[in-house]
Protein backbone atom coordinates (compact mmCIF):
# COMPACT_ATOMS: atom_id res chain seq x y z
CA UNK A 1 0.00 0.00 0.00
CA UNK A 2 2.79 2.38 0.87
CA UNK A 3 4.43 1.76 -2.41
CA UNK A 4 1.19 2.62 -4.19
CA UNK A 5 0.84 5.85 -2.19
CA UNK A 6 4.44 6.79 -2.81
CA UNK A 7 3.87 6.25 -6.47
CA UNK A 8 0.89 8.60 -6.48
CA UNK A 9 2.73 11.26 -4.59
CA UNK A 10 5.64 11.02 -6.99
CA UNK A 11 3.25 11.34 -9.88
CA UNK A 12 1.62 14.38 -8.32
CA UNK A 13 4.96 16.06 -7.83
CA UNK A 14 5.91 15.23 -11.41
CA UNK A 15 2.67 16.70 -12.70
CA UNK A 16 3.19 19.79 -10.54
CA UNK A 17 6.64 20.20 -11.99
CA UNK A 18 5.24 19.94 -15.53
CA UNK A 19 2.71 22.64 -14.76
CA UNK A 20 5.43 24.91 -13.44
CA UNK A 21 7.44 24.36 -16.61
CA UNK A 22 4.40 25.06 -18.77
CA UNK A 23 3.61 28.24 -16.85
CA UNK A 24 7.25 29.35 -17.18
CA UNK A 25 7.19 28.60 -20.90
CA UNK A 26 3.89 30.46 -21.31
CA UNK A 27 5.25 33.55 -19.60
CA UNK A 28 8.40 33.32 -21.72
CA UNK A 29 6.45 33.28 -24.99
CA UNK A 30 4.11 35.99 -23.74
CA UNK A 31 7.06 38.19 -22.91
CA UNK A 32 8.68 37.53 -26.29
CA UNK A 33 5.48 38.31 -28.17
CA UNK A 34 5.00 41.53 -26.21
CA UNK A 35 8.32 42.87 -27.46
CA UNK A 36 7.92 45.36 -30.27
CA UNK A 37 9.81 44.96 -33.51
CA UNK A 38 12.56 47.45 -34.09
CA UNK A 39 11.45 49.92 -36.79
CA UNK A 40 13.55 50.42 -39.87
CA UNK A 41 15.93 53.31 -39.60
CA UNK A 42 16.88 55.60 -42.51
CA UNK A 43 20.29 53.95 -42.67
CA UNK A 44 18.69 50.51 -43.10
CA UNK A 45 16.46 51.75 -45.93
CA UNK A 46 19.43 53.36 -47.69
CA UNK A 47 21.43 50.14 -47.35
CA UNK A 48 18.61 48.05 -48.81
CA UNK A 49 18.19 50.50 -51.71
CA UNK A 50 21.93 50.42 -52.47
CA UNK A 51 21.97 46.61 -52.37
CA UNK A 52 19.02 46.47 -54.78
CA UNK A 53 20.70 48.97 -57.12
CA UNK A 54 23.96 46.98 -57.13
CA UNK A 55 22.09 43.74 -57.82
CA UNK A 56 20.16 45.35 -60.68
CA UNK A 57 23.40 46.74 -62.10
CA UNK A 58 24.97 43.28 -62.03
CA UNK A 59 21.96 41.72 -63.79
CA UNK A 60 21.93 44.35 -66.55
CA UNK A 61 25.70 44.03 -66.95
CA UNK A 62 25.33 40.25 -67.37
CA UNK A 63 22.64 40.78 -70.02
CA UNK A 64 24.84 43.02 -72.17
CA UNK A 65 27.91 40.86 -71.54
CA UNK A 66 26.14 37.76 -72.87
CA UNK A 67 23.71 39.33 -75.35
CA UNK A 68 24.44 36.93 -78.21
CA UNK A 69 23.99 33.81 -76.09
CA UNK A 70 20.77 35.13 -74.53
CA UNK A 71 19.17 35.90 -77.88
CA UNK A 72 20.30 32.53 -79.22
CA UNK A 73 18.45 30.76 -76.41
CA UNK A 74 15.40 32.96 -76.94
CA UNK A 75 15.33 32.14 -80.66
CA UNK A 76 15.63 28.42 -79.94
CA UNK A 77 12.66 28.63 -77.56
CA UNK A 78 10.68 30.54 -80.18
CA UNK A 79 11.37 27.92 -82.87
CA UNK A 80 10.50 25.07 -80.49
CA UNK A 81 7.02 26.45 -79.84
CA UNK A 82 5.51 25.96 -83.33
CA UNK A 83 7.28 22.60 -83.59
CA UNK A 84 5.44 21.38 -80.48
CA UNK A 85 2.18 22.69 -81.90
CA UNK A 86 2.89 20.94 -85.20
CA UNK A 87 3.56 17.63 -83.41
CA UNK A 88 0.23 17.96 -81.61
CA UNK A 89 -1.52 18.50 -84.93
CA UNK A 90 0.14 15.41 -86.43
CA UNK A 91 -1.03 13.33 -83.44
CA UNK A 92 -4.59 14.62 -83.80
CA UNK A 93 -4.58 14.06 -87.57
CA UNK A 94 -3.40 10.47 -87.11
CA UNK A 95 -6.56 9.82 -85.08
CA UNK A 96 -8.83 11.87 -87.35
CA UNK A 97 -9.58 14.02 -84.31
CA UNK A 98 -8.80 17.52 -85.61
CA UNK A 99 -11.27 20.25 -84.68
CA UNK A 100 -11.46 23.86 -85.77
CA UNK A 101 -10.28 25.13 -82.38
CA UNK A 102 -7.18 22.91 -82.57
CA UNK A 103 -6.39 24.27 -85.99
CA UNK A 104 -6.88 27.86 -84.77
CA UNK A 105 -4.56 27.25 -81.82
CA UNK A 106 -1.79 25.81 -83.98
CA UNK A 107 -2.09 28.63 -86.50
CA UNK A 108 -2.07 31.21 -83.68
CA UNK A 109 1.10 29.71 -82.20
CA UNK A 110 2.79 29.74 -85.60
CA UNK A 111 1.78 33.35 -86.28
CA UNK A 112 2.88 34.57 -82.86
CA UNK A 113 6.17 32.69 -83.19
CA UNK A 114 6.81 34.45 -86.50
CA UNK A 115 6.05 37.86 -84.97
CA UNK A 116 8.17 37.08 -81.92
CA UNK A 117 11.11 35.96 -84.04
CA UNK A 118 10.99 39.25 -85.93
CA UNK A 119 10.85 41.22 -82.68
CA UNK A 120 13.80 39.24 -81.34
CA UNK A 121 15.87 40.08 -84.41
CA UNK A 122 14.87 43.76 -84.27
CA UNK A 123 15.64 44.07 -80.56
CA UNK A 124 18.96 42.26 -80.95
CA UNK A 125 20.13 44.49 -83.79
CA UNK A 126 18.95 47.57 -81.85
CA UNK A 127 21.10 46.78 -78.82
CA UNK A 128 23.52 49.72 -78.35
CA UNK A 129 27.05 48.64 -79.26
CA UNK A 130 28.49 51.30 -76.99
CA UNK A 131 26.79 49.68 -74.01
CA UNK A 132 28.08 46.23 -74.99
CA UNK A 133 31.63 47.62 -75.23
CA UNK A 134 31.19 49.27 -71.83
CA UNK A 135 30.83 45.87 -70.15
CA UNK A 136 34.48 45.09 -70.99
CA UNK A 137 35.66 48.23 -69.16
CA UNK A 138 33.46 47.92 -66.08
CA UNK A 139 32.53 45.38 -63.44
CA UNK A 140 29.00 44.15 -62.64
CA UNK A 141 28.94 46.47 -59.60
CA UNK A 142 30.15 49.64 -61.30
CA UNK A 143 28.28 49.25 -64.59
CA UNK A 144 25.35 51.61 -63.93
CA UNK A 145 27.56 54.24 -62.28
CA UNK A 146 29.38 54.58 -65.62
CA UNK A 147 26.28 56.29 -67.03
CA UNK A 148 26.59 59.27 -64.68
CA UNK A 149 26.48 62.37 -66.84
CA UNK A 150 25.14 60.44 -69.83
CA UNK A 151 21.57 59.59 -68.90
CA UNK A 152 20.57 59.17 -72.53
CA UNK A 153 22.86 56.16 -73.02
CA UNK A 154 21.71 54.80 -69.67
CA UNK A 155 18.09 55.11 -70.77
CA UNK A 156 18.89 53.19 -73.95
CA UNK A 157 20.50 50.42 -71.91
CA UNK A 158 17.55 50.13 -69.53
CA UNK A 159 15.09 50.20 -72.46
CA UNK A 160 16.96 47.37 -74.20
CA UNK A 161 17.01 45.33 -70.99
CA UNK A 162 13.27 45.81 -70.38
CA UNK A 163 12.55 44.82 -73.98
CA UNK A 164 14.55 41.62 -73.51
CA UNK A 165 12.62 40.80 -70.33
CA UNK A 166 9.30 41.27 -72.14
CA UNK A 167 10.61 39.16 -75.01
CA UNK A 168 11.46 36.34 -72.59
CA UNK A 169 7.99 36.59 -71.01
CA UNK A 170 6.41 36.44 -74.47
CA UNK A 171 8.51 33.41 -75.42
CA UNK A 172 7.69 31.57 -72.17
CA UNK A 173 3.95 32.18 -72.57
CA UNK A 174 4.06 31.02 -76.19
CA UNK A 175 5.99 27.90 -75.19
CA UNK A 176 3.41 27.09 -72.51
CA UNK A 177 0.61 27.52 -75.05
CA UNK A 178 2.21 25.10 -77.48
CA UNK A 179 2.95 22.62 -74.68
CA UNK A 180 -0.68 22.85 -73.58
CA UNK A 181 -1.76 22.02 -77.14
CA UNK A 182 0.55 18.99 -77.10
CA UNK A 183 -0.91 17.84 -73.76
CA UNK A 184 -4.39 18.21 -75.24
CA UNK A 185 -3.57 15.96 -78.18
CA UNK A 186 -2.04 13.30 -75.92
CA UNK A 187 -4.51 13.28 -73.04
CA UNK A 188 -7.88 14.51 -74.25
CA UNK A 189 -8.98 11.09 -75.53
CA UNK A 190 -8.71 9.16 -72.27
CA UNK A 191 -9.69 12.14 -70.10
CA UNK A 192 -7.21 10.95 -67.46
CA UNK A 193 -3.53 10.42 -66.79
CA UNK A 194 -0.44 12.61 -66.76
CA UNK A 195 -1.05 14.53 -69.99
CA UNK A 196 -4.69 15.25 -69.20
CA UNK A 197 -3.74 16.64 -65.78
CA UNK A 198 -1.18 18.92 -67.41
CA UNK A 199 -3.78 20.02 -69.93
CA UNK A 200 -6.22 20.97 -67.17
CA UNK A 201 -3.49 22.83 -65.28
CA UNK A 202 -2.69 24.89 -68.41
CA UNK A 203 -6.29 25.39 -69.56
CA UNK A 204 -5.97 29.16 -69.10
CA UNK A 205 -3.22 29.40 -71.76
CA UNK A 206 -5.34 29.30 -74.91
CA UNK A 207 -3.45 30.54 -77.96
CA UNK A 208 -6.51 31.47 -80.01
CA UNK A 209 -7.87 33.62 -77.15
CA UNK A 210 -4.64 35.48 -76.32
CA UNK A 211 -4.21 37.74 -79.32
CA UNK A 212 -4.88 40.91 -77.30
CA UNK A 213 -2.16 40.13 -74.76
CA UNK A 214 0.33 39.24 -77.46
CA UNK A 215 -0.38 42.42 -79.44
CA UNK A 216 0.17 44.48 -76.28
CA UNK A 217 3.48 42.75 -75.53
CA UNK A 218 4.55 43.14 -79.16
CA UNK A 219 3.99 46.90 -79.09
CA UNK A 220 5.89 47.18 -75.80
CA UNK A 221 8.86 45.20 -77.15
CA UNK A 222 8.81 47.19 -80.40
CA UNK A 223 8.81 50.46 -78.44
CA UNK A 224 11.75 49.35 -76.30
CA UNK A 225 13.69 48.32 -79.40
CA UNK A 226 13.01 51.67 -81.05
CA UNK A 227 14.17 53.58 -78.00
CA UNK A 228 17.31 51.51 -77.45
CA UNK A 229 18.19 51.82 -81.15
CA UNK A 230 17.45 55.58 -81.23
CA UNK A 231 14.84 55.09 -83.93
CA UNK A 232 12.55 57.47 -82.02
CA UNK A 233 14.88 60.29 -83.07
CA UNK A 234 13.61 59.88 -86.63
CA UNK A 235 10.18 61.05 -85.49
CA UNK A 236 11.54 63.83 -83.25
CA UNK A 237 13.73 65.29 -85.97
Amino acid sequence: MSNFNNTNVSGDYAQLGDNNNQNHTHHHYHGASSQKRKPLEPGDIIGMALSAAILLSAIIWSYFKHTKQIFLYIDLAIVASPLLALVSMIILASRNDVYTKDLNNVMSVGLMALVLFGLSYFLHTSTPESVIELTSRTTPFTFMSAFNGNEHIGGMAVSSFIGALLLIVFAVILHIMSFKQLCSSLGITNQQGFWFKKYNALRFFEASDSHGLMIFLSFCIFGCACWSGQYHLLFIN
Side-chain angles (χ1 to χ4, degrees), residues 35-90:
Q35 294 179 355
K36 294 182 179 180
R37 293 183 178 179
K38 182 181 178 182
L40 289 176
E41 297 180 355
D44 298 331
I45 298 176
I46 294 175
M48 294 171 60
L50 288 176
S51 299
I54 293 174
L55 178 61
L56 180 61
S57 175
I59 293 174
I60 298 178
W61 180 90
S62 299
Y63 162 69
F64 285 103
K65 186 69 174 180
H66 307 286
T67 299
K68 291 184 179 180
Q69 294 89 330
I70 291 174
F71 276 95
L72 175 61
Y73 296 146
I74 292 175
D75 292 342
L76 290 176
I78 294 172
V79 172
S81 297
L83 291 179
L84 287 177
L86 181 60
V87 170
S88 69
M89 181 59 66
I90 294 174

Side-chain angles (χ1 to χ4, degrees), residues 117-194:
F117 194 84
L119 288 172
S120 175
Y121 176 79
F122 183 45
L123 183 63
H124 189 192
T125 55
S126 301
T127 304
E129 290 292 335
S130 58
V131 179
I132 296 177
E133 294 175 358
L134 186 62
T135 59
S136 61
R137 304 194 305 269
T138 58
T139 65
F141 308 106
T142 61
F143 177 67
M144 294 303 293
S145 62
F147 296 113
N148 291 337
N150 199 342
E151 288 76 12
H152 180 68
I153 300 297
M156 292 168 56
V158 173
S159 178
S160 178
F161 177 72
I162 293 175
L165 286 181
L166 294 176
L167 190 70
I168 292 173
V169 171
F170 196 158
V172 169
I173 294 176
L174 185 62
H175 202 73
I176 293 175
M177 289 178 178
S178 59
F179 181 71
K180 178 250 180 187
Q181 183 63 29
L182 179 63
C183 294
S184 173
S185 64
L186 293 173
I188 201 67
T189 302
N190 298 328
Q191 300 285 317
Q192 60 183 358
F194 173 81

